[in-house]
Amino acid sequence: QSSVTLFGIADATVQVGRGSVDNNVGLGSGGLSTSRIGFRGVEDLGGGLKAGFWLEAGYTLNNGNGQNSNALAFTRRSTVSLMGDSWGEIRLGRDFTAPYNNLYDAFGDNGVGAILETQDLLGSTSYGLQTRTSNAVSYFTPKTLGGFFGQVQYYRNGRDASPATNRDQYGNGYGVRVGYENGPVSVGVAYGETDFSATVGALTTKVDTKNLNIGGSYDFGVAKLLVSVGQDKGEALGESAKTRLYTVGTTVPVGAGLIRASWTRASEKDSDARADKFALGYVHNLSKRTALYTTFAYLKNKDGSNLALNGSVTGAGDSSKGLDIGLRHAF
Amino acid sequence: QSSVTLFGIADATVQVGRGSVDNNVGLGSGGLSTSRIGFRGVEDLGGGLKAGFWLEAGYTLNNGNGQNSNALAFTRRSTVSLMGDSWGEIRLGRDFTAPYNNLYDAFGDNGVGAILETQDLLGSTSYGLQTRTSNAVSYFTPKTLGGFFGQVQYYRNGRDASPATNRDQYGNGYGVRVGYENGPVSVGVAYGETDFSATVGALTTKVDTKNLNIGGSYDFGVAKLLVSVGQDKGEALGESAKTRLYTVGTTVPVGAGLIRASWTRASEKDSDARADKFALGYVHNLSKRTALYTTFAYLKNKDGSNLALNGSVTGAGDSSKGLDIGLRHAF
Amino acid sequence: QSSVTLFGIADATVQVGRGSVDNNVGLGSGGLSTSRIGFRGVEDLGGGLKAGFWLEAGYTLNNGNGQNSNALAFTRRSTVSLMGDSWGEIRLGRDFTAPYNNLYDAFGDNGVGAILETQDLLGSTSYGLQTRTSNAVSYFTPKTLGGFFGQVQYYRNGRDASPATNRDQYGNGYGVRVGYENGPVSVGVAYGETDFSATVGALTTKVDTKNLNIGGSYDFGVAKLLVSVGQDKGEALGESAKTRLYTVGTTVPVGAGLIRASWTRASEKDSDARADKFALGYVHNLSKRTALYTTFAYLKNKDGSNLALNGSVTGAGDSSKGLDIGLRHAF
């Protein structure tokens, strides 16, 4: 039907991981871009008004599984929108959070070179950067502000409110992002808060998480520079934890290809736990839609941190290495 | 591919519910039409013969989840058909029941103004109107009977017969519907029976449910009137329960919009438990495919009935109020 | 979008089964071809190079359920490929195993006439012919070898390596197939080995399975003859089991229809347990895409074997009968 665009990505990668405790090798999915399939469309309502929808399901190409009980669901994005050329967009449903929209990184969060996400550090999964939220009402500014842009979102889970142990699906909160994008420059700052119930020890308690993000990129032509600084904070039972995330990266176009490199660090504030990752990769574009790619990453843990790459296992304070070799096809 | 039509609905609604015990507010899905995605097609076999298929999955737009383990499945409809211009249609698979096809209501069963479904009353979920059935062989009369139409369906679960605790998926039974539709008038009567296994107290026992439905609508031009009367009966362990459902509604076109109003009552026969709902709504069509809508409903319980609207909680005999404000986009 | 082909099959069948212990009748799915929906595409990269993807989900038409937690997942096939006219195809992801690709049978593995699969015999599900594997890297020879063809595949589960109780999803192994196909003749031989963890009694242990397959077909014009011999072997805890599979079948085109007949036998090596199935069927093509079909099968067990057809239950050494009457529509 003319009103629907079917789109997606099929991305498979051979993953090699080495750590001080165990190594790993196998086929994985999404080393360059997350494998997905989606349906989207825009209807012109006249007078500068448009309606649109976007339904997107993730899957793992290596085994065909989806994200809910290993089956397909529109948990990457499920939104319906009303858009005005002059006033912007109202978007309802499940989508990225504002802080996640503000990530500036050479590898994004895919593959072995992915930005370090706070929640991995020291096994604390409860307060790191939140990728998505359900039940959101979002407003996006129009593209008519001379390069300035903004987003405000408010999310509130109604019917399934308690128990709400899944921040992503059942949390309540809000997010805001403002930025400027013009020619070679793009900068942004974003902040979000989410309240949800979680099990801390033997208790189910309310957890409050706060994610702050500042980042930007500048395209020098021969290379693009990307820089991000983030802070993630979690509070529960009167205690709190805080982690900082730094990343500096670059992408360098070479003929039909793209060299990518980055350094990313996650460090916990109340301890000396810290992880540094150095990643170097090359994407060879066979066409606009199809690319061969490889990425190598080296990760150095400090103190209690024991992050490991590509399914390997490494001891606290030890290092880990990982390699991706993959094929990404977009449709 | 030319033989497949991809279609669907993305419908999000802000839901507000008020009850004597607890209030609720949040984003929901399907306040005007159930969010869904489907694939269907018809092949002309020549000589007035056609083949067709219809696969339709429901999802909740606010979080992207589907209906089986929160993931997508064709549990709204999954059928393959053989159709003859002169003799009608043989349809195999999962589909609406005949009594459900016979609902006449201004709000259908979507949103806060939805028809009261018997199964909600007094917490008895086992014998109310059955929306769908799997494993059905159905026959539909052709459109050549001068406005008269009929449907017969027989459903029998084979392989997964025991234990068959899910009426919808594993029940055995049949349904029949006859009616007349011509110009402004539409009337119909339907009856269905389903046997299935259910847990009643500590026992897994056979349950027999019977649903009867009479309804009709008349379009006066300035307004359409819709009336339904239904009776639902359940028998298990030598005991039985019976509930009656009444609904009177109207839809009034106003410019690009539609005003909707209805009264609906569910009353249990063997007690004084009863619920009355009054609903008033407005649908503003931005195009044939896209609409903004709002619905307000007031529900009055009597005796043991404690139905509540939009996720609120209300005490037995207390009232509840609910409001939907939403956007529906069809594709 | 022009780059994607949406395809599928909707196949419903009335299934009747008779056995010495219990009979069965009900609506089923896939009596002629497995019900499925898929998305695939090929991109021409120039210079004889192509990229392609194939995502295919199975479902049961009678109830709309999918294969993972009753919901849809691309577990029939999930692959991304790079193809060269002169050198063949590299395919990554989840796909058929090489031995499964080498099946020659009049009924394939669908419906009541399906080839006997070793894993059914004596309840041993662990070592029979493996239909699919995840995490595979496969190489297929090009179509330029004068009718000769070959396939090599290697599969290795990385991230989810332990515990890996599902051979299909988490096994590690390899497969190889070589054959010749030219005009009326097609012959092939295939071999595969898979290691995985399984629960044998109270132990979780490593299981090693080996599947060997030799088969071929010859099209005489008035009829096609198909012959297969297979051997399946399983080893765990120092013990092993072995089963042989034989099948001889024929298909005879008659006007718009096709008569199908086969004999298939599965016999366990270390006992006298054995099953013989005789199947006779007719497919009536209403078009290239749509067919009515019926299949009758008679199964004779010997000794400990108690295989039964179409959901019936039969005693060890007893016989079973089954009938399919169905409609298959491809889109």
Side-chain angles (χ1 to χ4, degrees), chain A residues 108-238:
Chain A
D109 69 342
N110 287 102
V112 74
I115 197 168
L116 282 174
E117 293 180 16
T118 301
Q119 65 264 40
D120 293 323
L121 201 66
L122 292 180
S124 295
T125 63
S126 51
Y127 67 94
L129 178 65
Q130 184 178 352
T131 305
R132 293 180 176 83
T133 182
S134 289
N135 308 304
V137 178
S138 296
Y139 167 72
F140 295 83
T141 54
K143 303 200 179 291
T144 55
L145 305 181
F148 290 95
F149 62 85
Q151 172 192 3
V152 186
Q153 67 186 174
Y154 177 76
Y155 35 99
R156 191 173 167 99
N157 169 53
R159 292 199 169 179
D160 306 301
S162 79
T165 50
N166 182 333
R167 177 169 63 149
D168 201 36
Q169 281 286 28
Y170 302 118
N172 294 323
Y174 70 93
V176 58
R177 181 189 180 209
V178 294
Y180 176 79
E181 198 161 52
N182 206 341
V185 66
S186 176
V187 292
V189 55
Y191 179 73
E193 276 198 43
T194 304
D195 289 351
F196 68 110
S197 297
T199 303
V200 176
L203 286 172
T204 294
T205 183
K206 193 183 148 199
V207 177
D208 184 27
T209 68
K210 301 174 182 181
N211 305 120
L212 174 67
N213 240 346
I214 303 173
S217 66
Y218 193 90
D219 193 342
F220 294 95
V222 295
K224 188 179 188 178
L225 183 69
L226 306 99
V227 179
S228 267
V229 182
Q231 179 177 283
D232 302 314
K233 201 173 164 187
E235 295 173 338
L237 299 171

Side-chain angles (χ1 to χ4, degrees), chain B residues 279-301:
Chain B
L280 179 66
Y282 175 65
V283 180
H284 185 72
N285 294 302
L286 299 171
S287 75
K288 280 196 169 182
R289 293 168 45 199
T290 304
L292 291 164
Y293 63 88
T294 184
T295 306
F296 172 78
Y298 172 81
L299 188 146
K300 182 79 195 76
N301 290 294

Side-chain angles (χ1 to χ4, degrees), chain B residues 1 3-4 6 39 41 43 45 49 51-53 55 68-69 71-75 78-82 92-94 134-137 156-160 169, chain C residues 4-7 10-12 14-15 24-27 37 39 59-66 69-72 286-290 292 310-311 327 329 331:
Chain B
Q1 210 174 7
S3 61
V4 182
L6 204 168
F39 310 88
E43 179 192 14
L45 299 167
L49 197 65
F53 75 100
L55 302 171
N68 279 12
S69 302
L72 297 165
F74 296 128
T75 39
S78 168
T79 61
V80 59
S81 293
L82 213 52
L92 308 172
R94 178 175 174 82
S134 290
N135 306 304
V137 178
R156 190 174 169 99
N157 169 51
R159 293 200 167 177
D160 307 302
Q169 281 285 29
Chain C
V4 181
T5 298
L6 203 168
F7 67 97
D11 182 329
V14 175
Q15 297 175 320
N24 185 52
V25 60
L27 193 71
I37 187 163
F39 309 89
Y59 69 95
T60 43
L61 187 115
N62 53 309
N63 53 26
N65 290 343
S69 303
N70 284 334
L72 297 166
L286 299 171
S287 76
K288 279 198 170 182
R289 294 167 46 200
T290 304
L292 291 164
N310 272 354
L327 170 64
H329 177 66
F331 54 92

Side-chain angles (χ1 to χ4, degrees), chain B residues 148-186:
Chain B
F148 290 96
F149 62 84
Q151 171 192 4
V152 187
Q153 66 186 173
Y154 176 76
Y155 35 99
R156 190 174 169 99
N157 169 51
R159 293 200 167 177
D160 307 302
S162 79
T165 50
N166 183 333
R167 177 168 64 148
D168 202 36
Q169 281 285 29
Y170 301 119
N172 294 324
Y174 70 93
V176 59
R177 181 191 179 206
V178 294
Y180 176 79
E181 198 161 50
N182 207 342
V185 66
S186 176

